[in-house]
Amino acid sequence: SRTTSRGQALPGYALMNTTLLWRPAGYEVALSVYNLTDVRHFARTSGSQFPLLQEGRTVRLAVSRNFGL
């Protein structure tokens, strides 16, 4: 069970994340979506009396270049 330091119960949750990866010659391109269903959830913190609301849906695009070193 998840509770805060004050004994307040926190609801459970499930998150769905996904990443699409493409590797053209010498590159890597990744598109990620975190919390795909935009679930509202809270994190238990140490030392804090109140749970922290976590981020909703987040999108990340990353491009990397491989120099073959």
Side-chain angles (χ1 to χ4, degrees):
S1 93
R2 294 173 359 109
T3 58
T4 65
S5 59
R6 293 175 34 179
Q8 177 186 9
L10 294 176
Y13 61 91
L15 297 178
M16 290 183 5
N17 303 320
T18 188
T19 298
L20 297 173
L21 182 62
W22 179 42
R23 290 185 174 149
Y27 289 89
E28 182 171 288
V29 180
L31 175 64
S32 301
V33 181
Y34 302 99
N35 194 0
L36 188 64
T37 56
D38 203 22
V39 172
R40 182 180 171 140
H41 63 287
F42 298 87
R44 178 181 181 206
T45 59
S46 60
S48 175
Q49 295 182 6
F50 303 101
L52 296 176
L53 178 61
Q54 298 299 291
E55 292 182 336
R57 183 179 304 120
T58 305
V59 178
R60 177 181 152 221
L61 176 64
V63 179
S64 305
R65 171 79 166 118
N66 181 2
F67 292 100
L69 298 176

